[in-house]
Amino acid sequence: MTLADLKDDGDFKLVIADQKGKLKIYMGTNVIYNERLGFDKPTAITTFYDSTKKPSLPIIAVAHASTIYYY
């Protein structure tokens, strides 16, 4: 799990790749995004920025076995 400012508005959301193979984004205690990943169990998740341009939008990287998927 990681925290990310997904819209560059200063409001960080909780981003989770769970063991059931789902990517979930929480705002407070509400799930605002829920999507099935293309694989079973992710091993790691992180967010990063690939440029310094505004708006600064993150890329979500999810690792599975020897592959990294970007969202």
Side-chain angles (χ1 to χ4, degrees):
M1 72 178 87
T2 186
L3 290 173
D5 184 3
L6 300 175
K7 295 183 180 179
D8 196 25
D9 58 0
D11 188 17
F12 284 77
K13 313 279 189 303
L14 179 64
V15 182
I16 295 176
D18 68 13
Q19 292 298 307
K20 295 180 182 177
K22 291 187 178 182
L23 180 67
K24 295 182 180 180
I25 299 175
Y26 288 86
M27 185 169 76
T29 58
N30 298 322
V31 177
I32 60 171
Y33 184 80
N34 186 4
E35 183 174 326
R36 178 98 175 122
L37 299 171
F39 45 86
D40 290 330
K41 294 184 180 182
T43 55
I45 185 171
T46 192
T47 56
F48 65 93
Y49 299 89
D50 67 342
S51 70
T52 57
K53 295 185 294 184
K54 289 290 183 181
S56 184
L57 301 176
I59 295 172
I60 300 170
V62 181
H64 174 258
S66 63
T67 306
I68 299 175
Y69 296 93
Y70 298 102
Y71 297 90

